[in-house]
Amino acid sequence: MHVPAGLRSSASLHEVAEEWLLVEGFLEHRRDGRKVFGFFRTLLLEPTDTAPALKLAQGLDYPGNHFFPEIPTIRGVFAGETPWSPRFDIRFDDDPDSRPSLRRDWQEEGIGVGQVAVELATGEGESPTALDRSYDVPSYEFAARFRLRQLPSTLDLVDVDGVRASAVFRTEDPWRGQLLFLRRDLVVDFAGDRRIVQVAWGEREVTVEWSAPPPWVRVAREKYEHVWRDIKVLDEP
């Protein structure tokens, strides 16, 4: 299977509307000396853990890149094996400490979270079947639950009736980044009794000489006013 460079979803963003959830992504925009970037992530939390997790997340001055755990990375898997290969499965049985959790530091036990996606890493070498970059895709567990299969020549998945279940998007200048959408009904089914928590966070910046920034920029950063975030539980106001 040949995977073309700059692989994109065969869906359009107009097709990905209320029936879909943005479950993983990163976007960055630069223009006229300004930059804004954001991470987007969907977490599954036990009902009793949801309130403590929200309090912890909203109480941080700066969540950084790692407070909301990154999705696992899959390496050495041929893109055509997505998502059915057992090598695509992530297990934490041998290392419970590696399970994704929300914690202030690594000395805390943390609050465990569930995830619905993984990062499919680029291949090594010059093979024509190697991806030219990494992509976020549904996890093995999620795909197996609904018997999803790959839509030819894409990384999108469809169900047994041929209905699209996921959509992968990548964009370039002036926006840069990628997005993974999953069908809302499937995510709700997969979550079961767990709460679906969607988080988005990032920074706003201006171009300055960082060795001698203007006072207002320094004050804004000291107060973390350049940081933005939005955290919500699905179907709750």
Side-chain angles (χ1 to χ4, degrees), residues 16-226:
V16 183
E18 294 182 358
E19 299 178 356
W20 296 77
L21 293 178
L22 173 58
V23 298
E24 187 68 27
F26 171 81
L27 284 178
E28 179 184 83
H29 185 270
R30 297 173 181 264
R31 182 174 179 180
D32 299 331
R34 297 176 180 270
K35 181 179 79 169
V36 61
F37 67 84
F39 298 91
F40 307 91
R41 196 147 294 160
T42 291
L43 309 174
L44 306 180
L45 284 156
E46 296 297 333
T48 55
D49 289 335
T50 303
L54 293 178
K55 182 178 180 180
L56 177 61
Q58 293 166 345
L60 292 176
D61 289 328
Y62 182 66
N65 297 342
H66 306 294
F67 173 75
F68 299 107
E70 296 97 332
I71 54 177
T73 298
I74 303 295
R75 302 184 185 278
V77 177
F78 170 47
E81 295 178 292
T82 307
W84 52 264
S85 171
R87 294 190 297 138
F88 204 72
D89 195 6
I90 295 289
R91 297 187 179 275
F92 300 100
D93 299 339
D94 297 332
D95 186 9
D97 291 339
S98 67
R99 292 180 179 274
S101 302
L102 301 177
R103 50 167 67 93
R104 290 187 182 87
D105 58 59
W106 291 106
Q107 295 180 342
E108 294 183 354
E109 182 177 351
I111 300 172
V113 301
Q115 297 171 309
V116 294
V118 296
E119 178 188 5
L120 183 60
T122 56
E124 301 293 336
E126 301 297 327
S127 170
T129 61
L131 294 174
D132 63 337
R133 61 191 69 188
S134 297
Y135 289 87
D136 299 334
V137 296
S139 69
Y140 177 93
E141 183 183 8
F142 185 90
R145 169 73 172 272
F146 304 107
R147 295 186 294 166
L148 305 181
R149 291 295 180 266
Q150 191 178 104
L151 190 65
S153 298
T154 77
L155 288 177
D156 296 350
L157 305 183
V158 297
D159 62 20
V160 292
D161 295 320
V163 178
R164 187 185 301 276
S166 68
V168 176
F169 294 92
R170 179 171 289 278
T171 182
E172 304 297 343
D173 292 336
W175 291 92
R176 181 181 68 84
Q178 64 171 332
L179 303 171
L180 169 64
F181 289 85
L182 296 182
R183 254 175 42 205
R184 181 189 180 111
D185 63 316
L186 299 183
V187 177
V188 171
D189 189 337
F190 184 78
D193 294 333
R194 293 175 292 181
R195 300 291 186 263
I196 301 171
V197 179
Q198 295 186 287
V199 298
W201 78 102
E203 299 180 28
R204 300 177 291 262
E205 298 180 354
V206 293
T207 301
V208 298
E209 179 55 57
W210 288 108
S211 62
W216 67 270
V217 172
R218 184 174 63 253
V219 170
R221 293 186 68 85
E222 289 174 350
K223 295 182 177 181
Y224 298 103
E225 294 174 344
H226 64 298

